Amino acid sequence: MASPAAVPVVLIRYGEVGLKGSNRAWFERILRENLRKALRPLGPWEVHNLRGRLVLAPGDREAFGDLLAAAEQAAAAASRVFGVVGAGPAREVPPDLPAILAAAEALVARRLPAEAGTPLSFKVAARRSNKRFPLDSMQLNREVGAHLLRAFGGRLVVNVHDPQLVVRVEVRDGSAFVYDGERPGPGGLPVGVSGRALALLSGGIDSPVAAWMGMKRGLRVDGVHFHAMPFTTEQALLKVVRLGRLLAAWQGDMRLFLTRFTDVQKAIYTNCPPDYGVILMRRMMVRIANVLADRHRYHALVTGENLGQVASQTLPSMAAVEAVSRRIILRPLVGMDKTEIVEAARRIGTYDTSTEAYEDCCTLFVARHPQTRPALERVEAVEARLDVAGLVDDAVAHTEVVEAADEPAFRHGVAAAGG
């Protein structure tokens, strides 16, 4: 049980944001806004600066039942906000020794097993940035440790090298904090500080990871998906929406552009050599994505391309695709191997959905031996057989826009993306 003076809060630790020099205040402001947005569904939480940290505090304590449990929930939500390195539930008390001892005792009482057995090993790790506090860090370690041993007798044993429980104490100006750990956050930069990007989402393993990595570097990321209805199914489309929903959980929301690509694919495979099909398809996707980016003010495209993984991901192929883009194409996965990408997909929660067995447009009409070293002149020559501008305009006109958090009712290309 917490001492009467203790207030459950969450201590937020950030990393790279703290290195931004004269721009740091702006980065901190965006991080605070993103935290408020993530916490809004959990109740009235306030976000305060605390010299190198942020503190999440309950704005109206009467709005919460169990404040300690509410702080645990708030820490869990904050640990999915980019820019956060760690989020730890803590007890905030006045900076005086009796209040600190009471809070430490309450924390340990909550962590001890219900039944007596093997003693729980522990140590105290105190830091004192408030130099007016009468004890230094070592003295505070000893005082808190001795108090806990007196309070819990044989149920605790000191182990300074590999303890099961670390009781952390931070004494700052105006407040002290007692806590025992934190949830790791994703790190990186707050979403929104680096601009806006449109990610090409196929529904496979790689592209959601690439979108997530774009978010981690401060990009606000929305997605565009190319479908080939009726050759692909509505289940395949819903799978992409579910992936968007999983990604939206990391940045608050996510807009998806669902583009009917069927006529583009039919034109390519009717008029062009099959071995150029993948390259031409990728060039058309990038053209369409650029038009959508123009209309909706995205600064960059993000793809899940990974150097050498498949035929469309050789250097000549990437160069042929990039030649038709008016904006930078970011490829966050380019240096990763497949094992690393799969591990990342599992970590961010998209792997199980990505591996659902629904065919996407990229797997249709694929030649057995696609070009891996296409010369740009040859690509442009075979592409000249297509009405490129007309196909792009038609695909853009048959783009539906949905919010990933919603349950969309697809019109399969009837609605336009709008300007």
Side-chain angles (χ1 to χ4, degrees), residues 102-161:
E105 184 178 334
L107 184 150
V108 172
R110 200 174 172 92
R111 297 291 185 256
L112 278 174
E115 297 182 5
T118 304
L120 184 72
S121 61
F122 85 108
K123 76 172 185 179
V124 179
R127 289 199 309 169
R128 183 199 62 155
S129 58
N130 177 358
K131 301 305 180 188
R132 294 188 298 277
F133 191 75
L135 303 179
D136 64 23
S137 298
M138 291 302 294
Q139 291 170 326
L140 190 54
N141 281 341
R142 286 195 293 270
E143 287 289 337
V144 175
H147 176 80
L148 293 175
L149 288 171
R150 285 194 299 273
F152 296 100
R155 300 184 68 187
L156 286 179
V157 60
V158 174
N159 183 338
V160 297
H161 300 294

Side-chain angles (χ1 to χ4, degrees), residues 131-210:
K131 301 305 180 188
R132 294 188 298 277
F133 191 75
L135 303 179
D136 64 23
S137 298
M138 291 302 294
Q139 291 170 326
L140 190 54
N141 281 341
R142 286 195 293 270
E143 287 289 337
V144 175
H147 176 80
L148 293 175
L149 288 171
R150 285 194 299 273
F152 296 100
R155 300 184 68 187
L156 286 179
V157 60
V158 174
N159 183 338
V160 297
H161 300 294
D162 187 24
Q164 294 168 288
L165 175 68
V166 180
V167 178
R168 301 182 185 278
V169 180
E170 286 189 32
V171 182
R172 292 174 172 253
D173 294 334
S175 293
F177 299 90
V178 180
Y179 59 102
D180 66 337
E182 64 180 16
R183 291 172 176 267
L189 297 173
V191 165
V193 299
S194 299
R196 304 174 74 238
L198 193 58
L200 279 65
L201 293 176
S202 69
I205 296 172
D206 298 356
S207 56
V209 176

Side-chain angles (χ1 to χ4, degrees), residues 24-55:
R24 175 172 163 172
W26 180 72
F27 280 82
E28 287 180 337
R29 180 175 64 78
I30 302 298
L31 179 55
R32 288 198 303 272
E33 290 173 1
N34 291 349
L35 282 166
R36 289 190 187 100
K37 188 175 180 181
L39 294 171
R40 199 166 295 143
L42 302 180
W45 286 91
E46 297 176 349
V47 186
H48 305 293
N49 275 57
L50 186 74
R51 292 184 61 190
R53 289 206 181 201
L54 298 176
V55 178

